[in-house]
Amino acid sequence: MEQFTYYLPCIYAFLACIGFSLLFNIHGAAGMLICAGGGALGWLVYLLAAPLVHSDITQSFLAALVISAWSEIMARLRRCPVTSYLLVALFPLVPGGGIYYTMEHAMSGETALFLESLLHTLGLAGALAVGVLLVASLARLVTNYQNGHHRLPGGKRP
Amino acid sequence: MKPDYSQLLELVSEMGFRLMLSGAEIYRVEESISRLLQAYGAERGEVFAIPNCIIVSLTSPQGEPMTQIRRMPSHGTDIYLLERYNDLCRHLCRETPPFQEALAQISDIERTHKVYSLPVQLLAHFLGCGMFSLFYGGSVWDGLCGGLCGMVIGLCLALTSRLGANLFFKTIAGAAVSAFAALALTAAGIGQNPDSIIIGALMALVPGIAFTNAMRDIMAGDMVAGISKAAEALLIGAAIALGTALALGLIHLLIGG
């Protein structure tokens, strides 16, 4: 039973990402599998990190790091825009539940709970953002370094 | 070859327009345009883009300035088109074919563009939203209901898009309709867990795309673009909450619970 708690959510995330990759008009099995694989991988990291860090914001951050790195690598390999893979693979981490529970607390007039879940939702979104940002900046540094020798001073990268 | 600057201006702004229309980040649009300008040998070209507008300006060797402004209509994200235009842009930078040929290649991509039909899109909504209902701790029946609610959202989005509604309204309508459907399915005894059904279905509306793109823009130094997209993401999040609250509140009033 223990293993199912790891496998099942990842499989759900995988299939859900396949559904959403259709919605963003991704054609071709390879693209879909990369997106869905990224989503499942991210959630696996999220779950595996749980006993280590005990905070879902940090878990989200780590998962976002892994997903961005995966998307950057895949985009380099297939010479495609990174966005294509990143958009769909991040879906399982988007705090949809947070938005819903925040709304629910607001409706039932529980101000303390409302504020708490609002800040928590924003925290999760912030963790995602920082994770994506960090990897994207590093990837940019690497590209700039690789292209460094044929680059004009002050110009855009070629 | 001396480039004809007015045609060059037409070509690069068309390329930028198409890229942005298919959902490219701002820095990708700006970078593509400036690379194209360099490839075609225009030394003094500048480009500035924000989410609703692209401005390209050139100065010809005789010292005449030329500018083109393209206003962006509201648009979604189409990865297939984005990849094709990105490839074409690289190809143009490498080969620099004559302008007419380049423009023909751009419109070729639009002609051979393929989208999934509405039934396939609804199926995708079903799969995506149903799986997210399971993901958020629902039972198998909840997954089924979540999928159905997702299809309802898909239909609602297709309908309101055809009517030309704005993003905020579309989101409120989609969220409200799916919450209604979820409560109806639960009342009918099929769904057990309205929370996970609604959350799963709402995943079709969450502003993940806007948010990620906003972050990437801020990282690339385009503060104006990043901040306006981040504001859009927050607004959509608020719209989701509002729509769902509307439906739940109405049901509450009607049943009087």
Side-chain angles (χ1 to χ4, degrees):
Chain A
M1 230 21 228
E2 177 80 353
Q3 276 142 8
F4 279 119
T5 52
Y6 283 118
Y7 291 140
L8 271 183
C10 293
I11 292 171
Y12 295 150
F14 185 86
L15 291 173
C17 287
I18 288 211
F20 277 102
S21 65
L22 287 170
L23 290 181
F24 289 111
N25 204 20
I26 294 178
H27 289 266
M32 283 183 201
L33 285 180
I34 290 174
C35 290
L41 186 72
W43 198 252
L44 189 68
V45 169
Y46 181 93
L47 291 177
L48 288 178
L52 299 176
V53 294
H54 302 292
S55 142
D56 54 354
I57 293 186
T58 321
Q59 282 167 263
S60 279
F61 171 69
L62 292 175
L65 280 184
V66 171
I67 291 179
S68 318
W70 162 271
S71 314
E72 295 275 353
I73 292 170
M74 285 300 158
R76 293 282 184 290
L77 288 183
R78 300 201 63 216
R79 303 185 70 74
C80 281
V82 184
T83 344
S84 338
Y85 306 129
L86 199 57
L87 285 186
V88 179
L90 277 178
F91 252 98
L93 292 178
V94 176
I99 296 178
Y100 177 73
Y101 290 120
T102 306
M103 179 278 305
E104 207 172 35
H105 292 314
M107 275 197 41
S108 50
E110 294 153 329
T111 316
L113 276 175
F114 159 67
L115 282 178
E116 194 191 317
S117 55
L118 178 67
L119 289 180
H120 190 77
T121 308
L122 288 178
L124 285 173
L128 270 190
V130 175
V132 172
L133 237 141
L134 212 64
V135 175
S137 313
L138 283 178
R140 199 151 246 261
L141 283 184
V142 172
T143 325
N144 281 351
Y145 177 74
Q146 281 173 346
N147 297 337
H149 47 278
H150 48 91
R151 186 164 157 246
L152 299 168
K156 296 245 175 192
R157 70 186 165 92
Chain B
M1 180 188 82
K2 268 267 169 270
D4 177 346
Y5 276 66
S6 60
Q7 279 188 351
L8 176 61
L9 190 60
E10 175 65 29
L11 172 67
V12 294
S13 48
E14 184 66 24
M15 193 73 221
F17 181 80
R18 298 291 179 90
L19 270 172
M20 193 119 111
L21 202 61
S22 45
E25 311 95 310
I26 300 298
Y27 78 84
R28 183 178 304 283
V29 174
E30 290 189 345
E31 224 174 82
S32 303
I33 291 181
S34 46
R35 281 190 205 180
L36 268 178
L37 286 174
Q38 275 178 6
Y40 277 96
E43 288 303 323
R44 294 185 54 196
E46 292 290 340
V47 51
F48 176 72
I50 53 171
N52 336 46
C53 180
I54 305 176
I55 304 171
V56 190
S57 179
L58 277 182
T59 311
S60 67
Q62 292 79 37
E64 287 171 81
M66 276 183 273
T67 305
Q68 195 167 54
I69 298 180
R70 297 296 292 266
R71 185 83 162 78
M72 299 303 302
S74 77
H75 56 85
T77 305
D78 189 322
I79 303 284
Y80 175 73
L81 271 185
L82 175 58
E83 288 182 348
R84 296 282 303 270
Y85 284 134
N86 198 48
D87 279 349
L88 177 64
C89 187
R90 279 193 183 148
H91 169 77
L92 292 185
C93 286
R94 252 194 335 265
E95 316 259 314
T96 57
F99 298 120
Q100 288 314 319
E101 204 181 309
L103 281 171
Q105 281 176 358
I106 292 181
S107 43
D108 249 15
I109 287 186
E110 192 174 33
R111 213 177 34 249
T112 56
H113 178 219
K114 48 185 176 180
V115 285
Y116 291 108
S117 60
L118 188 63
V120 178
Q121 285 195 23
L122 288 182
L123 215 65
H125 269 106
F126 182 83
L127 181 68
C129 297
M131 282 300 152
F132 268 121
S133 291
L134 289 170
F135 183 79
Y136 278 102
S139 63
V140 177
W141 288 108
D142 291 338
L144 192 69
C145 296
L148 288 176
C149 294
M151 286 173 92
V152 170
I153 291 187
L155 272 178
C156 184
L157 286 182
L159 187 72
T160 43
S161 302
R162 199 156 291 171
L163 295 175
N166 65 26
L167 194 59
F168 194 63
F169 181 80
K170 276 200 282 196
T171 312
I172 289 189
V177 170
S178 82
F180 268 128
L183 289 177
L185 284 169
T186 320
I190 307 172
Q192 294 144 347
N193 222 330
D195 284 5
S196 14
I197 300 178
I198 295 179
I199 297 174
L202 288 184
M203 291 307 276
L205 296 169
V206 291
I209 317 106
F211 197 69
T212 341
N213 269 351
M215 284 309 134
R216 294 181 65 82
D217 281 335
I218 290 179
M219 177 272 305
D222 300 312
M223 295 306 275
V224 179
I227 288 171
S228 71
K229 276 190 199 160
E232 184 189 318
L234 282 181
L235 208 66
I236 297 175
I240 293 176
L242 264 176
T244 324
L246 192 76
L248 295 183
L250 268 179
I251 296 269
H252 233 62
L253 270 181
L254 289 179
I255 301 177

